[in-house]
Amino acid sequence: MGLTNTDIQNAQGAEQTDGNIITTTIDKVINWGRKNSLWPMPFGTACCAIEMMATLASKFDLSRFGSEAIRFSPRQSDLLIVSGRISIKMMPVLKRIYDQMPDPKWVISMGACASCGGVFDTYTLIQGVDQFIPVDVYIPGCPPRPEDLIDAVLQVQQKITSGASPKGVEHLLET
Amino acid sequence: MNEEKEIEEQPKPLVLQKLEEHHADALLSKDETRGTVVVVIRKEQAYAVLEYLKTDPELAYTFLVDVTAVDNSQMESELMQFDYARFMVVYQLYSYQGQCRLRVKVPVHENDLNTPSVTGLWQGANWLERETYDMFGINFEGHPDLRRILMPDDFEGHPLQKDYPLRGRGERESFNFDKQNA
Ligand code: SF4
C-alpha cells in the first residue's frame, strides 16, 4: 500500500496545500507506518492459539490489516498476542519474552484464560496475565472468534493512530 | 437362544492362573473390569511381580503404558479394603504378544511413601514416575532422577493429594520472578 495524499490528509492535523506539498508531523507519519505493519509475536499455549492460527491463515487473512509478518523472535515484533492458559511455570517465560520485545510494543490478551484464568480457577494458573505484564486490548470469549482477534488488532491500530502510548510505557510517562 | 453360551463360564485369564501359581502370596485381590484384569499386589513383592509379568515368555507384558496413582483418602470403601493404605500406585501394562491389558495396583501407606521404581524394567517409567512423584508425593526408590516434572522446581506440596486446596496455597499470587528465572 503506497502512501497517498488522502492517507496523510486523513491523519488528524495534516494539511494539503495545492500542488504536491503536504504538511504533517513526523509522529503522524511514523504512527501511520507502525499501525499498518504490526508484527505479531504469537504466544499460543492452548486452544485459543488454534483460533489465532485460523486468523492468520487464508480464510480470515490477517494480512489484510498489515499484520501477516508473524515473528517467532520477540526481538523482531511489536505486538504480543497471548492466546491461551498461562501457568505459574510459564509466566516467567512470557515475562521474559515481553521484556525482550523492543519498544513501542502492544499486548493483546486473547480469550478468557489469558485475561482472567477462565474456567481454570486452580492452583497452577495465573488469573490474568495483566497482573504481570501490561495489556492493551482484552478479547473475551472461550475461544474468541477470529473476527474478535481481527477486531482487537484494529483496536490496537486505532490506539496507535490516536497517538496514545502503549500500556507498557504509560507508567514511565507519568513519573 | 444364546443364553446357554452366556452363562457358560469364561476361562480364567492366563495371567491370573500364572500369578496364582507363582506369586500367590503377593496377590491381595484380583478382579476383572471391562475386559481388563486388575490385580492388587503387595508393595514388598511389587518389583518381583512386575518383573515376572514382563519377562515371563508366555505373558510378556513388555509395554508399560502408564504409571499413576490414586489418592483414596476420601473413599472410605476403598480405604477399608486394603488396610487403610491412602495411595494406590497404578501400573497399566500391555502385552503385544497376548494382545491384552493388565492393571496392577500397589497400595502405599501415607506413613511410608516409598515404593520401588520400575525404571530398571521399563526405561519409559522414568518420566511417568516423576509425574506421580510430583503430583502425589510417592517416593520411587531407585529412580535415577526423581525431580518434579510438571510443577516449578521450588513448588511445595503435591497438588493431586486430595487435601491440597484447589485454588492453591497462594503460590499463584505470590511467586517470585527472580527466583524462577534463576
Ligand atoms: S479461553 Fe477457552 S479457548 Fe481460550 S485457551 Fe482458555 S479454554 Fe482454551
Side-chain angles (χ1 to χ4, degrees):
Chain A
M1 192 161 78
L3 181 62
T4 64
N5 285 354
T6 350
D7 284 323
I8 305 279
Q9 249 175 335
N10 289 345
Q12 200 194 344
E15 273 174 45
Q16 189 187 12
T17 59
D18 34 282
N20 290 323
I21 304 166
I22 298 163
T23 61
T24 182
T25 61
I26 192 78
D27 278 355
K28 298 229 159 59
V29 177
I30 288 178
N31 280 344
W32 176 85
R34 271 185 190 146
K35 150 184 173 235
N36 288 306
S37 70
L38 284 168
W39 285 25
M41 159 81 212
F43 199 86
T45 48
C47 14
C48 270
I50 305 294
E51 298 297 306
M52 177 176 63
M53 287 177 237
T55 317
L56 297 166
S58 52
K59 186 154 182 191
F60 294 96
D61 199 8
L62 194 58
S63 70
R64 291 177 293 160
F65 308 97
S67 296
E68 78 277 24
I70 288 284
R71 283 292 170 264
F72 291 92
S73 159
R75 293 169 203 278
Q76 297 171 354
S77 33
D78 54 3
L79 174 65
L80 178 61
I81 304 178
V82 186
S83 45
R85 299 177 278 278
I86 304 295
S87 65
I88 55 175
K89 202 172 178 183
M90 192 50 109
M91 193 61 224
V93 179
L94 176 60
K95 171 95 168 108
R96 180 176 286 195
I97 283 183
Y98 174 79
D99 288 342
Q100 284 176 343
M101 288 166 61
D103 276 321
K105 52 192 168 189
W106 291 268
V107 179
I108 292 176
S109 162
M110 178 179 183
C113 288
S115 307
C116 67
V119 294
F120 303 98
D121 188 5
T122 65
Y123 56 93
T124 185
L125 218 79
I126 296 291
Q127 304 292 299
V129 293
D130 55 0
Q131 294 173 57
F132 300 102
I133 60 173
V135 174
D136 290 275
V137 179
Y138 301 83
I139 316 176
C142 177
R145 294 267 320 157
E147 290 91 333
D148 293 323
L149 180 55
I150 294 176
D151 184 50
V153 171
L154 293 183
Q155 285 196 31
V156 171
Q157 292 190 352
Q158 248 170 33
K159 197 168 175 180
I160 299 172
T161 333
S162 73
S165 354
K167 259 272 157 51
V169 299
E170 270 169 5
H171 68 283
L172 298 176
L173 300 177
E174 273 163 22
T175 51
Chain B
M1 51 180 192
N2 269 342
E3 257 172 47
E4 264 181 49
K5 245 189 179 170
E6 273 170 26
I7 14 182
E8 199 180 288
E9 218 172 283
Q10 296 281 324
K12 196 178 240 184
L14 177 71
V15 57
L16 285 184
Q17 288 175 22
K18 296 204 82 167
L19 279 180
E20 275 167 12
E21 194 180 315
H22 291 93
H23 288 280
D25 53 333
L27 217 53
L28 288 174
S29 106
K30 50 189 190 266
D31 196 5
E32 208 174 335
T33 357
R34 292 162 212 247
T36 305
V37 180
V38 183
V39 291
V40 181
I41 50 180
R42 243 179 258 286
K43 189 169 88 176
E44 290 70 31
Q45 282 121 303
Y47 191 89
V49 173
L50 286 163
E51 186 171 26
Y52 171 73
L53 289 169
K54 184 192 167 188
T55 50
D56 184 85
E58 272 186 291
L59 299 173
Y61 284 96
T62 46
F63 179 28
L64 177 69
V65 182
D66 197 12
V67 178
T68 185
V70 181
D71 179 354
N72 281 326
S73 55
Q74 288 166 16
M75 288 273 286
E76 195 62 25
S77 55
E78 288 283 319
L79 278 176
M80 274 162 44
Q81 254 183 315
F82 299 104
D83 190 24
Y84 285 87
R86 178 174 170 186
F87 297 100
M88 199 62 111
V89 179
V90 186
Y91 301 86
Q92 310 271 13
L93 304 180
Y94 184 73
S95 163
Y96 285 109
Q97 187 182 300
Q99 303 219 342
C100 55
R101 293 178 188 279
L102 172 67
R103 190 174 308 144
V104 179
K105 296 184 179 180
V106 178
V108 173
H109 280 267
E110 195 175 5
N111 47 18
D112 179 18
L113 289 171
N114 299 326
T115 188
S117 162
V118 294
T119 42
L121 295 174
W122 293 277
Q123 283 284 311
N126 191 321
W127 283 18
L128 301 173
E129 288 183 347
R130 276 177 67 185
E131 182 186 347
T132 311
Y133 160 73
D134 193 356
M135 293 289 127
F136 293 92
I138 309 287
N139 184 27
F140 291 92
E141 283 174 314
H143 189 287
D145 181 28
L146 198 62
R147 282 182 293 132
R148 286 186 185 280
I149 188 167
L150 296 174
M151 303 309 292
D153 290 338
D154 61 348
F155 192 83
E156 276 162 31
H158 300 280
L160 284 193
Q161 292 184 352
K162 291 282 181 216
D163 52 5
Y164 200 89
L166 175 65
R167 296 195 170 109
R169 298 181 174 143
E171 57 277 72
R172 69 183 185 191
E173 284 83 23
S174 66
F175 79 89
N176 180 341
F177 277 117
D178 302 334
K179 212 165 118 199
Q180 299 251 324
N181 276 333

